[in-house]
Amino acid sequence: AQGYAIRFFPWLQMLMGRAFSFWDHSFFETGILLFLLLVVLVFLSGIFFLIKRSAASKKSMSFLLRGTACVLSGLILVYTLTAAVNYHRDSIGIVLNLPAAEASGESLAKLSMILAEDMRALTEDPEWNYGILTEFDDAYIENQAVYAMKQIGQGEPSLSGYYSKPKPIYFSNLLSDLGIDGIFSPFTMEANYNNKITPFLIPYTICHELAHSKGYMKEEDAGFIAYLACRSSSSRLFEYSGLFHGLVFAMDALRAEAGEAAFDEVYRKLPEPVQIQLRYVMEQSRQQASSFASAAISVNDLYLKVNAQSGMNSYGQVVELLIADYADRIYGEDLL
């Protein structure tokens, strides 16, 4: 898988990415609608052929079923070449030679405090303006996301090269109901995002999906790469988006590992506007317990487990990579 990811996949990613980048709308979204239409047509045609029961209808039904099987087989082949194999490539931690890290209560507390300090330093800068967090300039964010990914690609070859244009989903309200911020399409190499979520969450989301397009299919890998891209960006909006997501991951893990008191200790260190935003985002996550969102989460959990991940928990495993990345600040002299 690693040999394939290094030698062959980049060519496939570049060719497919360029082929589907010329249109501003999502080919993936259009493809889903066409696929649903095909399913309806096959179902209705099947009923019609069963009613007719003529030799011609049997032949037509056979042709239709074989054609559908060919389409499904083709989709499975494309998915295997663009996604399934890459689930077994080396993780970004191995690629970047990060030390192995364990998410203990102590390390999570230190990581959360470091991220809180970085967030305070960012927002207490005299030139900082919270107003940038509520503005949504899709062209700027999409271009800046590609630029940020290319910047970290200068230091890591597996993240260099061509990036396709990020695309918003037209039915983003439906994605919000399902609790989905972004979708990577392995069939079109498109990084799709929900443009109805809170604006300052979008930069990280797009970088996350762009990381998938480079073959890093594991959620913790894509999440960590997105964090690195946002942190190294010259855009303060991107820097805030990355830090905020890092805080959400770290503090969620801290609360689960060390309890509410440890969570509150870090929470009190945050600037009040960040506290309000953090409460809002976490409350949104709790409210996504609707039947539709729960079903979507269950399906995604099953999908991840089928691909040898730990289900939805894999999103939170980015904290282990963050701890490894901040090892010098977390452990200090203990590393010597």
Side-chain angles (χ1 to χ4, degrees):
Q2 183 63 13
Y4 174 80
I6 293 174
R7 296 179 179 87
F8 301 105
F9 175 74
W11 292 98
L12 183 63
Q13 181 261 333
M14 180 184 66
L15 291 173
M16 290 182 64
R18 289 186 183 278
F20 290 101
S21 282
F22 68 89
W23 197 29
D24 289 338
H25 302 287
S26 170
F27 277 96
F28 176 64
E29 185 176 23
T30 303
I32 290 177
L33 296 175
L34 292 175
F35 183 79
L36 293 175
L37 178 61
L38 175 63
V39 171
V40 172
L41 289 175
V42 170
F43 178 75
L44 294 177
S45 299
I47 295 176
F48 175 76
F49 293 145
L50 287 174
I51 294 174
K52 291 282 290 183
R53 289 184 177 276
S54 64
S57 66
K58 288 181 180 179
K59 185 176 180 180
S60 298
M61 186 63 183
S62 174
F63 176 79
L64 182 62
L65 290 176
R66 283 184 283 119
T68 303
C70 286
V71 171
L72 292 175
S73 298
L75 291 175
I76 292 171
L77 174 60
V78 172
Y79 174 79
T80 301
L81 295 174
T82 58
V85 175
N86 285 325
Y87 272 105
H88 303 281
R89 70 179 297 171
D90 289 346
S91 70
I92 191 63
I94 294 175
V95 172
L96 297 179
N97 295 315
L98 294 177
E102 181 182 353
S104 64
E106 182 181 1
S107 61
L108 286 169
K110 289 182 178 180
L111 172 65
S112 299
M113 280 295 187
I114 289 170
L115 294 175
E117 290 170 3
D118 289 348
M119 179 65 84
R120 180 172 287 279
L122 173 65
T123 56
E124 288 182 349
D125 187 288
E127 297 182 0
W128 172 256
N129 176 18
Y130 277 103
I132 66 172
L133 304 181
T134 59
E135 299 172 357
F136 177 59
D137 184 339
D138 55 347
Y140 168 77
I141 292 177
E142 291 168 7
N143 292 331
Q144 186 65 31
V146 170
Y147 179 74
M149 294 297 293
K150 287 184 176 181
Q151 285 294 104
I152 61 172
Q154 293 180 2
E156 172 46 48
S158 64
L159 294 171
S160 63
Y162 178 78
Y163 283 91
S164 58
K165 172 181 170 59
K167 298 179 180 180
I169 291 292
Y170 180 79
F171 293 102
S172 285
N173 286 326
L174 176 60
L175 291 188
S176 295
D177 292 338
L178 296 174
I180 298 173
D181 291 347
I183 301 175
F184 166 67
S185 165
F187 305 105
T188 59
M189 286 295 160
E190 291 174 303
N192 300 281
Y193 67 94
N194 179 348
N195 63 0
K196 300 300 182 184
I197 60 175
T198 306
F200 71 80
L201 301 178
I202 294 177
Y204 173 92
T205 298
I206 295 179
C207 289
H208 181 108
E209 305 309 329
L210 287 173
H212 282 320
S213 76
K214 283 299 179 182
Y216 286 98
M217 295 304 299
K218 294 179 182 178
E219 296 302 333
E220 63 267 31
D221 285 349
F224 181 64
I225 292 168
Y227 175 80
L228 292 180
C230 289
R231 185 180 68 183
S232 60
S233 172
S234 59
S235 167
R236 296 198 171 196
L237 171 62
F238 274 70
E239 188 177 355
Y240 186 94
S241 186
L243 276 173
F244 187 87
H245 278 87
L247 276 168
V248 170
F249 288 131
M251 293 179 69
D252 269 347
L254 177 63
R255 179 155 52 186
E257 183 70 24
E260 200 69 33
F263 176 91
D264 289 339
E265 184 178 356
V266 178
Y267 182 80
R268 289 192 295 268
K269 299 289 185 180
L270 295 170
E272 185 177 357
V274 180
Q275 292 178 350
I276 294 172
Q277 291 166 345
L278 196 63
R279 281 200 304 266
Y280 173 74
V281 169
M282 290 183 170
E283 183 61 29
Q284 272 191 323
S285 298
R286 283 192 287 268
Q287 289 176 354
Q288 286 171 354
S290 67
S291 57
F292 288 118
S294 297
I297 290 171
S298 298
V299 170
N300 196 24
D301 183 72
L302 177 61
Y303 165 79
L304 293 171
K305 288 178 178 177
V306 166
N307 285 286
Q309 294 195 79
S310 58
M312 292 297 289
N313 292 332
S314 59
Y315 285 91
Q317 289 172 357
V318 68
V319 296
E320 296 178 2
L321 292 167
L322 288 171
I323 290 170
D325 187 53
Y326 282 97
D328 56 338
R329 294 176 64 182
I330 292 175
Y331 301 110
E333 294 181 357
D334 294 341
L335 291 175
L336 302 178

